[in-house]
Amino acid sequence: MIEIRTADMAKIGLVLELSSEFGLNVGIGSECCVHKLPSPGEVAEIASQVDDLAVVTPITPQKHYDRVLDFIRGLPHGVRLVVNDVGVLYSLERDGMLDGFSAVVAGRGIVHTSEACPWVDHLLRDESEEVKDAFLQTNLNYSRTLGFFRDMGVTALETDLELRTVEAALRTGLPVAGHAEFIAVSYARSCHTARFFGEVPPACRERCNGPMELELVDMFDLSGSPPGFAQPSPEMLGIFPKLYLLGATIFMKKDVHDVQGMERVIINGDMYDPANLRGVVMAFDEGMG
Amino acid sequence: MGSQKKMNLMAPAESTATAVNVIEAGADEIYLGLETPGLVNLNLSGRGRSCNAKDQAELVDIVTYAHDRGVLVDYTVNTPFMADTLEEMYIEHVMRGVDAGVDALIVGEFGALALVQEMDLGIPIHASVLLNNFNRGQLEMLKGMGVAKVVLPFKITIDEIRQLSGLGIELELFGQFGCSNINGTCHLIHNADESISLGLPCRANYRVSEDGRLHNILDAGTDCSLCSIGDLMDAGVSALKVVGRCMNPEMIRTIIQTYRNAIDMVLDGAVPGEIKAWVLEEIPFWMMLCDQDRCKYLKTPINDSYI
């Protein structure tokens, strides 16, 4: 099963078209930015057109806390709710607001994997195999953490489509959705895209409908006096990937297409040129058999 | 301004020498970790090897030295990652600190929090910055779990702090230095005993595809809160914390002395302009932070870009 996701309502026509053509599920909303949430009217309209709609809610600073809870309270019955903020999840569960969703999914703001670190194998280089195995899991593989989130109503999880991560995530027994190709390396509150364009959120909200690519040129060397820019070593360049910035989220790309055992694959439509999106969907559609 | 509240100054340490250094400089509390037997480069104290007390005997010495001077010791057991196979190691790690007499545990993972709670150790538990303690729901939840104090995220506004105070849980905040990204979700990991120098990836220069510019696009680092100490006290922050495990000892001593003096100045009624004038007079390198607009709680381009 494939879910195609966007936070850009200008793309929703294309997303719905692909959904109809390939039988895809649809996701809307944002993991990290409240300003990229659709309006209640947009949610209702899209929900009326698809069988399985996922609505993604972001990491939520206090400033936006009541707004996000109000947004969730207003969601149509039967949508799949993806939560990326533990405080929001707690409030929903405590106040009995999780009934009526087809699934309550812990998103990547909650589910962490060491494989999202570009140089995880370097960090683990000297550790024992047992320690490596322990770290190369998701945080929900720790039974107490899994119990903690199950008790808060979580019925499924999302994580990055990385081989060792997915293999581990499947061991939780929860249905697993994997984010294809773009691994979430980091989320920010101080929006890097807004700052780059010299705009103040939410005025910047149309600036992140597609990613920017970032190639490391100068490292910031802490050993200098004073610390400052320096040439990265060949070793650093060897482990430092090209990064992709979409709004306040930093990604790296991984070419993993093994989707065995997963409930669904999530394709973030905002990471691709709309002209290529059909091809991306077709490639995963073939992989899903 | 003119708050009557007390605000503890909290300093990093990683050895007896650094603990003595920051306590002499005026810290009210210190925080530190301990090396973890069984791990090589990684550590259950949330930092890489060599940024922690080397063994329990050294930790005991540090606790004794601190307590003799009325200084509290917070013990970092804030690994952001736990596994069933690490649980026994983690329990031993926690107990080495408890047996050494530490005053609080800083925990950075929800399952670990549940475990420590179950251990019923009789000392306060603090929720690490790694738990992303952003909103009222999270603080209410943590309070219900018995957490005494939360470390607030690096990116938070004074208005938000005000809204979070009064929930019956103490607020601790990083006043000096810190991350560009949301700490508990950032995998651009450094200072984890890597053998390849990575520097600070978020402060690096990148070629940006948008326009080909060379730009430190990921740099949202904010470094200083001296001019906001009074507002932070008024907002309900009970401890102001300085980042710096493994930092140059002279630098960290200067920073702790600076914050010690600034807090005392505020308690004596000084206004932000007086503090800034004092620090620029006494510590010329501070001008670099002012020039770069790296204020944590004043209006700057970085803070304007908060979602």
Side-chain angles (χ1 to χ4, degrees):
Chain A
M1 188 182 295
I2 296 173
E3 176 189 318
I4 185 162
R5 187 174 283 183
T6 184
D8 175 13
M9 287 303 107
K11 288 196 197 90
I12 198 66
L14 172 61
V15 164
L16 291 173
E17 186 185 312
L18 292 171
S19 166
S20 171
E21 184 177 347
F22 292 95
L24 312 179
N25 297 320
V26 171
I28 52 176
S30 170
E31 295 173 321
C32 183
C33 182
V34 69
H35 304 302
K36 297 297 282 184
L37 291 178
S39 70
E42 287 167 330
V43 177
E45 173 63 24
I46 297 163
S48 72
Q49 296 183 50
V50 298
D51 292 333
D52 182 319
L53 176 65
V55 179
V56 186
T57 58
I59 296 168
T60 307
Q62 174 61 24
K63 179 181 179 182
H64 305 297
Y65 178 69
D66 290 327
R67 174 179 166 184
V68 168
L69 290 179
D70 286 345
F71 174 82
I72 294 170
R73 280 189 199 103
L75 291 174
H77 186 84
V79 302
R80 176 183 172 92
L81 178 68
V82 183
V83 184
N84 285 289
D85 188 283
V86 178
V88 167
L89 178 66
Y90 168 78
S91 297
L92 295 172
E93 197 279 330
R94 179 193 60 190
D95 298 343
M97 287 166 56
L98 291 177
D99 297 336
F101 295 109
S102 65
V104 176
V105 186
R108 288 186 292 184
I110 290 175
V111 181
H112 308 302
T113 167
S114 305
E115 275 195 293
C117 174
W119 40 85
V120 62
D121 289 310
H122 174 72
L123 297 180
L124 292 171
R125 64 196 180 282
D126 297 325
E127 305 297 346
S128 67
E129 290 306 313
E130 184 190 17
V131 169
K132 284 179 184 171
D133 288 345
F135 275 87
L136 288 166
Q137 305 185 74
T138 74
N139 56 329
L140 267 60
N141 281 94
Y142 180 36
S143 54
R144 290 179 190 272
T145 308
L146 179 62
F148 175 82
F149 284 109
R150 275 189 188 276
D151 287 348
M152 280 209 284
V154 166
T155 61
L157 68 85
E158 291 185 359
T159 190
D160 296 302
L161 180 41
E162 295 250 37
L163 287 178
R164 295 172 292 189
T165 296
V166 169
E167 191 182 312
L170 290 169
R171 291 199 297 270
T172 65
L174 291 174
V176 175
H179 285 262
E181 296 200 309
F182 290 97
I183 311 303
V185 173
S186 190
Y187 298 94
R189 184 189 185 181
S190 178
C191 181
H192 305 309
T193 299
R195 223 172 36 257
F196 179 77
F197 286 106
E199 295 176 358
V200 175
C204 55
R205 68 189 303 274
E206 300 306 322
R207 294 290 193 178
C208 50
N209 292 329
M212 293 188 273
E213 296 180 13
L214 312 181
E215 293 269 12
L216 178 73
V217 177
D218 303 314
M219 70 179 292
F220 190 87
D221 186 7
L222 284 169
S223 64
S225 185
F229 294 118
Q231 287 295 303
S233 66
E235 290 78 17
M236 180 182 180
L237 290 172
I239 60 170
F240 204 96
K242 178 190 282 188
L243 300 175
Y244 297 80
L245 178 66
L246 185 75
T249 306
I250 302 165
F251 299 92
M252 65 177 171
K253 197 169 184 186
K254 285 290 182 70
D255 189 22
V256 176
H257 286 73
D258 184 349
V259 297
Q260 209 169 11
M262 288 193 299
E263 181 205 24
R264 64 175 65 194
V265 171
I266 299 163
I267 296 173
N268 184 346
D270 297 336
M271 296 303 291
Y272 302 92
D273 182 336
N276 299 333
L277 199 47
R278 183 181 307 273
V280 174
V281 169
M282 284 172 70
F284 274 99
D285 195 42
E286 283 169 20
M288 296 292 278
Chain B
M1 209 55 58
S3 170
Q4 299 305 303
K5 294 173 185 169
K6 177 171 164 53
M7 176 191 270
N8 272 1
L9 175 58
M10 197 168 173
E14 68 263 9
S15 63
T16 306
T18 57
V20 170
N21 187 41
V22 295
I23 289 170
E24 283 180 353
D28 300 302
E29 290 184 58
I30 61 172
Y31 66 99
L32 81 169
L34 179 63
E35 292 301 278
T36 313
L39 298 180
V40 182
N41 302 316
L42 303 177
N43 192 281
L44 296 178
S45 283
R47 279 279 177 166
R49 185 178 56 179
S50 74
C51 285
N52 305 288
K54 66 179 185 301
D55 54 32
Q56 194 186 25
E58 183 171 41
L59 187 57
V60 169
D61 286 347
I62 293 169
V63 170
T64 303
Y65 180 86
H67 286 176
D68 285 350
R69 287 151 185 81
V71 171
L72 299 170
V73 179
D74 289 8
Y75 180 48
T76 56
V77 286
N78 59 336
T79 173
F81 195 86
M82 272 291 286
D84 291 328
T85 51
L86 295 175
E87 192 172 271
E88 195 179 323
M89 186 187 285
Y90 186 79
I91 291 170
E92 288 170 3
H93 190 67
V94 168
M95 290 313 300
R96 275 192 285 272
V98 172
D99 292 344
V102 299
D103 299 289
L105 301 175
I106 304 175
V107 182
E109 204 278 332
F110 287 109
L113 193 55
L115 169 63
V116 170
Q117 220 192 350
E118 192 178 296
M119 288 167 74
D120 194 17
L121 297 164
I123 63 173
I125 299 170
H126 299 173
S128 166
V129 69
L130 293 164
L131 294 174
N132 304 329
N133 305 307
F134 265 120
N135 57 47
R136 195 172 70 236
Q138 176 123 349
L139 266 63
E140 288 169 347
M141 178 190 75
L142 291 169
K143 185 183 172 193
M145 294 177 77
V147 169
K149 188 192 275 191
V150 296
V151 185
L152 294 171
F154 288 113
K155 306 296 185 196
I156 192 164
T157 68
I158 290 179
D159 274 351
E160 290 174 322
I161 296 168
R162 273 191 209 102
Q163 290 176 41
L164 295 175
S165 65
L167 293 175
I169 190 162
E170 278 192 73
L171 306 180
E172 180 178 302
L173 186 70
F174 282 99
Q176 182 75 10
F177 301 134
C179 298
S180 291
N181 298 313
I182 297 171
N183 208 235
T185 69
C186 186
H187 295 92
L188 292 170
I189 297 168
H190 51 87
N191 285 40
D193 218 58
E194 57 274 10
S195 63
I196 298 171
S197 172
L198 298 167
L200 291 180
C202 58
R203 295 206 180 189
N205 263 333
Y206 296 87
R207 181 81 58 201
V208 183
S209 63
E210 178 74 12
D211 56 9
R213 252 195 295 167
L214 193 60
H215 198 288
N216 57 341
I217 186 169
L218 304 181
D219 183 356
T222 50
D223 291 338
C224 175
S225 61
L226 284 180
C227 294
S228 304
I229 288 173
D231 288 336
L232 294 171
M233 279 185 192
D234 288 342
V237 173
S238 64
L240 197 64
K241 190 169 185 176
V242 171
V243 172
R245 280 192 273 172
C246 278
M247 192 183 279
N248 173 314
E250 279 178 42
M251 170 75 84
I252 202 72
R253 184 183 180 92
T254 301
I255 291 169
I256 296 302
Q257 285 172 331
T258 302
Y259 274 86
R260 171 78 280 145
N261 197 58
I263 289 172
D264 291 345
M265 284 175 74
V266 170
L267 291 172
D268 286 343
V271 297
E274 292 172 281
I275 294 167
K276 185 172 178 178
W278 168 79
V279 75
L280 293 180
E281 171 81 20
E282 295 292 322
I283 327 264
F285 80 76
W286 220 276
M287 179 57 86
M288 184 176 68
L289 303 182
C290 297
D291 282 347
Q292 293 183 5
D293 268 350
R294 293 196 183 270
C295 320
K296 281 184 173 291
Y297 302 100
L298 301 180
K299 185 173 170 54
T300 68
I302 290 174
N303 298 339
D304 279 348
S305 70
Y306 282 13
I307 291 168

